[in-house]
């Protein structure tokens, strides 16, 4: 027996994620470096020649460093805090402990240390062998250490300060969520990352942390970033901006883009620093290089390695944010992390074997190594010099927390990359969408939201006009992950944004063009931009279509009215079935639309910028087939609008995250007998995740070697898997040259029918999100209770309104204006 449930596109993308997941030794209990640094042992005399040279040069005045010691993570680069969503095989293999019914992504034991670089003396500042210590940063006067600490016996990390001599431990933040990676700001505030955003990675089982700020004493915590996925390792730039890594995949691959961004300490001015068009590397731990505009970072390869390991690189933004000439790899191997720069020729770096200094040519010298008894379990992290430093430029706050909105100004939508062929005046308005965060996630793939497409739901916020000269001026909701679709006179998609933007309350943010070339000069000044002659246009909601669309609820009824008379399991005109009968995970019509390329969603591909009209509604055949030219199948205006907006909002199957991790009822097919009977005509060679070849059924009409599209668990007897090889005389379709089943008494036919009926019975008992009596799985309910959306008193048989629950969850993040008096 074998469970067949992944189609070829799903397998391809999921295999990519899993291959990057494996990361060599990262699945072992203790991660092991894959390469040795040039110097693996401490020098015979301390300090060694390189460190001595640095202490007399760029490190002059540095007597000591501070660093953290802890057990390194063994999952993705971002799994070092929080809980896994469920008790899946991955959670059991990659987590360190199970407690309170869930698995956690960290291990016990940590300390904060200080080392004298001239004598070699090491002092433990703080230690908790049941807790966790991470992310130290020195105060501007060099007398205090700001760090993240998880107290033994508790789960969340919080921000703490301690004097460099180990006295005066002070807790700054509190609560049920994790606060990590803090950095001091020159105005006295602190910017940090936090799981207070209460969302899960779009393609993994673990929690997300995004940017927040607080006062010096931990008060007035406020969200800065609305990212669906991680923001990491913020650090101040000399000009007063915050430099950080942003991971996103709006309309593009989930594993390719983890690039450097900047914002002001109040969250305004969020913009790319380097790499928004550069895939295949996670740019982490970036920090400025004194006396230059350059930064040093760990360029963790692929989708990023555990603990940010990768080559050390220097980024020069003067070439522009997408020019490969702006990156120079410094290190000679790829197992480094946490670089700290004193000059372009002098860096502190961490390695699984210890702490090192590195010069500009990648030569290294070890400056600290743990005792041999600890090396198999603990690693050194985040070395920082103990020294006073100059405060960066203070950027005055530009937010108005009493405002519910912000403003966006676009100078010329026709100015930009990949806009060739778009005639001036063609774009009439902008469709404003927002990405919706996930309250939980149970997969590395996109199922059951899409087949090879989006990992997330998108919501229709509304529409706003574009002036004939290409300018636009919008008033938009503050603190949302917004992205845009340029629409023509027929409301068809001309161009999509490929990213998202967040506007702070009261902020006005502008751009030159649509995907403009950031290496080019600004446009010549135009004195009379049409959009600036009027107040900003509020985004107008679209009232007659649900803001979050759901295929069974909103699209299938349209197909039933307009298409299913000809395209059903009995007629199958043009070999197309658009009935809503359920398969193991989706329904037959959704499989048909996807596998026949009737929609072009363009998601989850390793491209950073697609040409105009190349995907979305304008490139989706389903829109053309519904305009009346296809055998008179003409949709009403409202039906076409609903169909169009469904495509623009990622063409998902469910319209709720409550569908995740449940409702799939796999058909347990007799694979061996099927291969014996059908394999001579219907087989193909495929490769598993490890590259090993195997034979599998490959049937025309199925998606690759996946047979779900041939199943029907609503009405098992109607399944194409049964009817296609059944002789016409017996009521089948007789599509095989020699019917595999002469009648319905064939033993294999009966076994297949039995497998489909078994899945039908499980579906009837277990339900799916679009069936009366459906209840989400326990993990969705647990997280919604933890986030305060569902009541703790919810009984095991109490009904759950899944759409209302999702809506309450999303609404919980929306900015609530604060009155001036209250402040």
């Amino acid at each position: 027996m074998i469970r067949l449930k992944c189609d070829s596109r799903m397998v391809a993308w999921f295999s990519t994620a899993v291959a990057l997941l494996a990361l060599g030794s990262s699945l072992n209990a203790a991660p092991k470096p894959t390469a040795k640094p040039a110097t693996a042992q401490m020098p015979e005399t301390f300090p060694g020649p390189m460190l001595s040279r640095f202490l007399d040069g760029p490190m002059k005045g540095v007597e000591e460093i501070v660093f953290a010691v802890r057990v390194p993570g063994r999952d993705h680069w971002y799994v070092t805090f929080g809980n896994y969503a469920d008790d899946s095989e991955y959670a059991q293999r990659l987590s360190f402990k199970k407690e309170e019914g869930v698995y956690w992504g960290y291990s016990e034991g940590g300390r904060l240390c200080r080392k004298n670089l001239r004598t070699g003396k090491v002092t433990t500042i703080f230690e908790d062998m049941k807790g966790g210590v991470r992310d130290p940063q020195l105060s501007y006067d060099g007398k205090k250490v700001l760090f993240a600490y998880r107290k033994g016996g508790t789960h969340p990390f919080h921000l703490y300060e301690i004097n460099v001599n180990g006295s005066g431990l002070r807790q700054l933040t509190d609560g049920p969520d994790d606060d990590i990676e803090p950095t001091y700001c020159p105005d006295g505030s602190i910017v940090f990352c936090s799981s207070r955003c209460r969302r899960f990675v779009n393609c993994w089982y673990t929690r997300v942390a995004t940017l927040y700020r607080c006062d010096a004493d931990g008060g007035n915590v406020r969200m800065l970033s609305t990212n669906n996925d991680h923001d990491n390792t913020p650090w101040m730039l000399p000009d007063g901006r915050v430099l950080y890594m942003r991971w996103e995949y709006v309309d593009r691959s989930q594993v390719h883009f983890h690039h450097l961004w900047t914002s002001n300490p109040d969250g305004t001015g969020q913009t790319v620093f380097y790499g928004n068009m550069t895939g295949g590397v996670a740019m982490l731990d970036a920090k400025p290089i004194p006396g230059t505009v350059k930064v040093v970072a760990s360029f963790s390869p692929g989708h990023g390695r555990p603990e940010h390991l990768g080559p050390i690189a220097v980024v020069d933004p003067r070439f522009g944010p997408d020019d490969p000439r702006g990156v120079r790899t410094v290190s000679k191997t790829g197992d480094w992390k946490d670089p700290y720069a004193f000059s372009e020729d002098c860096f502190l770096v961490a390695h699984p074997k210890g702490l090192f200094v590195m010069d500009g040519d990648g030569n290294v010298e070890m400056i600290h190594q743990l005792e041999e008894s600890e090396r198999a379990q603990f690693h050194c992290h985040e070395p920082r010099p103990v020294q006073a430093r100059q405060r960066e430029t203070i950027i005055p706050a530009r937010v108005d927390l009493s405002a519910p909105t912000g403003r966006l100004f676009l100078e010329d939508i026709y100015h930009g990359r990949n806009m060739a062929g778009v005639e001036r005046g063609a774009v009439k308005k902008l469709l404003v969408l927002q990405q919706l965060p996930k309250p939980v996630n149970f997969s590395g793939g996109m199922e059951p939201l899409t087949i090879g497409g989006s990992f997330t739901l998108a919501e229709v916020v509304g529409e706003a006009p574009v002036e004939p000269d290409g300018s636009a001026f919008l008033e938009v909701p503050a603190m949302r992950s917004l992205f845009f679709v340029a629409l023509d006179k027929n409301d068809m998609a001309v161009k999509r944004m490929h990213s998202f933007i967040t506007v702070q309350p009261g902020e006005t943010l502008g751009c030159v063009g649509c995907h403009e070339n950031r290496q080019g000069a600004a446009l010549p000044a135009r004195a009379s931009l049409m959009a600036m002659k009027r107040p900003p246009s509020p985004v107008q909601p679209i009232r007659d279509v649900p803001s979050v669309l759901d295929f069974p609820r909103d699209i299938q009824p349209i197909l039933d009215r307009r298409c299913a008379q000809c395209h059903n399991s009995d007629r199958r005109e043009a070999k197309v079935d658009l009935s809503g009968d359920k398969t193991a995970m989706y329904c037959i019509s959704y499989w048909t639309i996807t596998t026949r390329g009737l929609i072009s969603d363009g998601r989850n591909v390793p491209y950073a910028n697609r040409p105009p009209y190349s995907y979305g509604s304008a490139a989706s055949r389903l829109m053309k087939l519904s305009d009346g030219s296809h055998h008179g199948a003409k949709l009403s205006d409202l039906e076409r609008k609903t169909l169009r907006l469904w495509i623009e909002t990622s063409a998902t199957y469910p319209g709720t995250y409550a569908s995740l991790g449940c409702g799939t009822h796999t058909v347990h097919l007799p694979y061996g007998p099927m291969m014996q009977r059908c394999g001579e005509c219907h087989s193909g060679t495929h490769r598993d995740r490890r590259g090993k070849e195997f034979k599998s059924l490959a049937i025309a009409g199925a998606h690759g070697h996946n047979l779900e599209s041939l199943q029907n668990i609503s009405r098992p007897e109607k399944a194409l898997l049964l009817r296609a090889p059944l002789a016409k005389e017996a009521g089948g379709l007789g599509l095989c040259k020699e019917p595999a089943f002469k009648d319905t008494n064939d033993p294999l036919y009966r076994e297949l029918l039995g497998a489909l009926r078994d899945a039908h019975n499980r579906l009837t008992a277990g339900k799916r999100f679009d069936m009366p009596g459906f209840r989400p799985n326990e993990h969705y309910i647990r997280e919604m209770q933890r986030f305060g959306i569902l009541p703790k008193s919810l009984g095991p048989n109490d009904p759950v309104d899944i759409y209302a629950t999702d809506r309450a969850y999303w609404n919980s993040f929306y900015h609530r204006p604060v009155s001036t008096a209250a402040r």
Side-chain angles (χ1 to χ4, degrees):
M1 295 291 223
I2 186 169
R3 297 184 178 184
L4 300 174
K5 66 176 182 179
C6 290
D7 76 295
S8 58
R9 288 175 70 192
M10 292 165 66
V11 168
W13 288 114
F14 184 67
S15 296
T16 300
V18 170
L20 292 167
L21 245 186
L23 301 174
S25 59
S26 65
L27 300 182
N28 296 328
K32 300 173 183 177
T34 57
K36 295 181 179 180
T39 303
Q41 303 295 327
M42 290 287 291
E44 292 183 5
T45 59
F46 187 86
M50 182 182 289
L51 178 57
S52 296
R53 176 164 55 87
F54 287 162
L55 290 174
D56 290 335
M59 294 177 66
K60 190 173 183 178
V62 178
E63 295 290 323
E64 295 180 315
I65 60 170
V66 162
F67 59 95
V69 176
R70 66 174 184 275
V71 179
R74 59 190 180 201
D75 197 342
H76 292 78
W77 47 270
Y78 49 82
V79 187
T80 52
F81 66 92
N83 63 286
Y84 284 81
D86 62 10
D87 56 357
S88 65
E89 176 188 354
Y90 287 103
Q92 295 179 42
R93 293 175 64 192
L94 297 174
S95 70
F96 289 94
K97 59 185 295 187
K98 182 178 182 181
E99 193 173 305
E100 298 181 1
V102 296
Y103 288 88
W104 298 85
Y106 55 79
S107 184
E108 296 180 341
R111 64 180 181 269
L112 196 61
C113 299
R114 192 175 80 237
K115 178 164 185 168
N116 189 297
L117 296 182
R118 299 186 184 275
T119 67
K121 181 182 177 181
V122 177
T123 304
T124 296
I125 299 175
F126 180 77
E127 184 175 56
D128 185 342
M129 297 311 292
K130 291 292 183 181
V133 176
R134 54 179 294 169
D135 313 320
Q137 197 203 40
L138 273 293
S139 59
Y140 287 101
D141 61 8
K143 296 180 179 179
K144 294 181 180 179
V145 183
L146 175 66
F147 66 108
Y149 165 47
R150 182 186 62 79
K151 188 177 296 185
T154 67
H155 292 298
F157 283 89
H158 296 305
L159 303 187
Y160 284 76
E161 269 186 336
I162 193 170
N163 296 325
V164 292
N165 64 4
S167 66
L169 180 67
R170 181 168 71 115
Q171 183 173 346
L172 303 182
T173 61
D174 202 350
D177 303 300
D178 294 276
D179 302 325
I180 59 172
E181 298 177 343
T183 187
Y184 286 111
C185 299
D187 63 358
S189 65
I190 297 170
V191 169
F192 60 101
C193 298
S194 180
S195 65
R196 295 167 188 258
C197 60
R198 297 186 172 181
R199 56 201 65 180
F200 275 70
V201 174
N202 295 343
C203 59
W204 200 233
Y205 302 76
T206 53
R207 292 282 294 272
V208 164
T210 64
L211 293 184
Y212 281 73
R213 72 157 300 282
C214 67
D215 295 341
D217 62 0
N220 293 318
V221 175
R222 183 171 71 85
M223 176 185 265
L224 301 183
S225 168
T226 62
N227 196 353
N228 269 23
D229 263 308
H230 282 275
D231 301 313
N232 285 90
T233 56
W235 201 270
M236 293 302 302
L237 289 172
D239 63 9
R241 293 177 297 161
V242 180
L243 176 69
Y244 63 99
M245 188 229 67
R246 171 163 135 172
W247 176 21
E248 63 171 68
Y249 46 96
V250 178
D251 290 350
R252 51 183 177 171
S253 166
Q254 86 277 17
V255 296
H256 282 81
F257 299 97
H258 328 72
H259 34 278
L260 295 177
W261 279 63
T262 62
S263 81
N264 299 326
D266 65 352
T268 59
Q270 294 181 22
T271 190
V272 65
F273 182 83
Y274 183 82
N276 193 39
M277 304 281 287
T278 304
V281 63
M283 305 173 189
L284 294 150
D285 303 310
K287 301 175 187 68
I289 300 176
T292 75
V293 297
K294 303 175 184 179
V295 302
V296 62
S298 169
F299 269 43
S300 197
H303 188 31
R305 295 176 57 200
E307 290 293 344
H308 309 179
L309 293 177
I312 299 299
V314 169
V315 178
D316 187 343
R318 292 176 296 184
F319 288 96
D322 301 310
D323 195 317
R325 294 177 299 170
V327 175
R328 178 177 68 88
T329 301
V330 176
S331 61
K332 298 178 180 179
T333 60
D335 287 314
W336 305 99
K337 61 166 287 186
D338 297 322
Y340 189 101
F342 297 91
S343 73
E344 290 189 70
D345 191 47
C346 178
F347 308 97
L348 275 176
V349 290
H351 186 278
K353 287 188 174 293
L355 302 179
F356 292 76
V357 285
M358 177 183 291
D359 68 17
D361 294 322
N363 300 306
V364 295
E365 180 179 278
M366 180 178 281
I367 62 171
H368 182 73
Q369 188 174 38
L370 295 176
E371 296 294 330
E372 187 172 355
S373 60
E374 290 190 312
R375 294 173 197 166
Q377 183 178 4
F378 295 95
H379 287 175
C380 299
H381 306 264
E382 300 111 13
R384 317 281 193 242
V386 179
Q387 64 176 164
R389 55 194 174 92
Q390 187 175 358
R391 289 180 184 266
E392 299 84 7
T393 300
I394 296 178
I395 299 176
R398 300 172 182 174
V399 297
D400 177 4
L401 298 182
S402 66
T405 62
R407 292 163 297 280
L408 287 172
F409 170 66
L410 171 64
E411 183 174 351
D412 186 358
I413 198 169
Y414 304 102
H415 176 74
R417 294 173 291 200
N418 248 343
M419 291 295 288
V422 180
E423 295 183 3
R424 187 163 289 277
V427 178
K428 302 300 182 183
K429 56 187 172 182
L430 293 173
L431 175 65
V432 183
L433 306 174
Q434 68 172 323
Q435 287 287 288
L436 297 172
K438 281 183 172 179
V440 72
N441 198 46
F442 307 106
S443 169
M446 68 290 296
E447 69 281 349
L449 290 180
T450 61
I451 302 171
S454 175
F455 288 74
T456 59
L457 299 173
E459 180 174 13
V460 178
V461 179
E463 297 174 328
V466 174
E467 301 295 342
D469 66 351
S471 63
F473 192 24
L474 290 67
E475 184 176 13
V476 298
M479 298 305 295
R480 311 280 185 96
S481 293
L482 301 175
F483 63 110
F484 309 103
V485 183
L487 302 179
D488 65 13
K489 63 181 180 180
N490 298 315
D491 288 338
M492 292 291 105
V494 177
K495 194 77 170 68
R496 299 180 67 93
M497 186 173 170
H498 304 283
S499 185
F500 74 89
I501 192 169
T502 298
V503 180
Q504 298 292 316
E507 179 184 12
T508 298
L509 191 62
C511 56
V512 173
C514 177
H515 300 276
E516 74 272 15
N517 187 338
R518 295 176 182 266
Q519 294 170 242
L523 293 176
R526 293 190 289 169
S528 57
L529 291 171
M530 299 178 71
M532 297 304 290
K533 294 180 179 180
R534 55 168 174 77
S537 302
V539 176
Q540 296 298 319
I542 300 175
R543 302 289 185 185
D544 50 359
V545 175
S547 61
V548 181
L549 287 119
D550 182 289
F551 185 88
R553 183 192 67 197
D554 303 316
I555 305 302
Q556 188 60 50
I558 298 175
L559 301 178
D560 290 342
R561 289 191 296 269
R562 307 295 184 180
C563 310
Q565 297 92 333
C566 298
H567 302 295
N568 57 63
S569 58
D570 290 317
R571 291 189 61 175
R572 296 190 74 251
E573 298 290 341
K575 300 180 181 179
V576 170
D577 186 349
L578 293 176
S579 63
D581 288 347
K582 290 178 170 56
T583 62
M585 189 178 293
Y586 302 98
C587 70
I588 291 174
S589 58
Y590 190 77
W591 269 107
T592 301
I593 289 170
T594 302
T595 58
R596 286 185 169 263
L598 300 183
I599 54 171
S600 176
D601 62 6
R603 278 85 176 168
N604 201 33
V605 290
Y607 308 128
N609 195 342
R610 297 283 293 273
Y613 303 103
S614 64
Y615 70 111
S617 57
S620 295
R621 285 201 298 142
L622 194 57
M623 294 302 300
K624 177 63 178 175
L625 293 171
S626 64
D627 66 2
S629 61
H630 179 68
H631 301 287
K634 182 175 177 60
L635 273 58
S636 69
D637 290 343
L638 178 58
E639 288 172 332
R640 278 183 62 82
K641 180 193 288 188
T642 303
L643 184 63
R644 173 177 62 84
L645 290 174
W646 171 71
I647 293 171
E648 306 297 16
T649 54
S650 306
T652 60
Y653 182 60
T656 170
Y657 286 132
S659 63
L660 299 172
C662 56
T664 297
H665 298 282
T666 303
V667 180
H668 303 291
L669 296 172
Y671 186 72
M674 291 174 66
M675 280 294 291
Q676 291 177 4
R677 183 78 65 91
C678 309
E680 183 176 348
C681 297
H682 302 291
S683 66
T685 301
H686 307 279
R687 293 182 182 275
D688 63 17
R689 298 171 189 169
R690 296 173 178 83
K692 184 178 179 180
E693 290 188 353
F694 66 97
K695 289 285 187 179
S696 176
L697 288 174
I699 300 174
H703 198 99
H705 62 278
N706 183 283
L707 304 184
E708 184 181 340
S709 58
L710 308 183
Q711 300 167 10
N712 187 328
I713 63 175
S714 294
R715 297 182 295 167
E717 292 83 357
K718 297 290 186 179
L720 190 60
L721 190 64
L722 294 177
R723 300 189 69 214
L726 180 64
K728 289 184 177 181
E729 297 78 13
L733 300 175
L735 298 182
C736 294
K737 291 184 295 185
E738 293 291 334
F741 308 134
K742 293 183 178 181
D743 56 48
T744 58
N745 292 318
D746 185 285
L748 181 55
Y749 178 97
R750 303 305 300 179
E751 190 170 0
L752 289 172
L753 178 60
L756 290 164
R757 285 175 173 170
D758 172 67
H760 169 83
N761 293 336
R762 285 185 278 117
L763 173 66
T764 302
K767 311 298 183 185
R768 192 176 289 176
F769 72 94
D770 59 334
M771 298 170 66
F774 170 76
R775 183 181 169 91
N777 72 21
E778 60 180 306
H779 307 292
Y780 173 94
I781 291 174
R782 181 196 66 235
E783 297 301 329
M784 284 299 200
Q785 289 176 322
R786 178 182 295 179
F787 299 157
I789 307 301
L790 289 175
K792 296 283 188 181
S793 60
L794 187 72
N797 298 315
D798 291 345
V800 176
D801 185 331
I802 56 177
Y803 298 99
T805 300
D806 273 359
R807 173 51 57 194
Y809 166 72
W810 296 323
N811 288 349
S812 71
F813 303 114
Y814 291 168
H815 169 65
R816 292 168 177 78
V818 179
S819 68
T820 304
R823 289 184 290 155

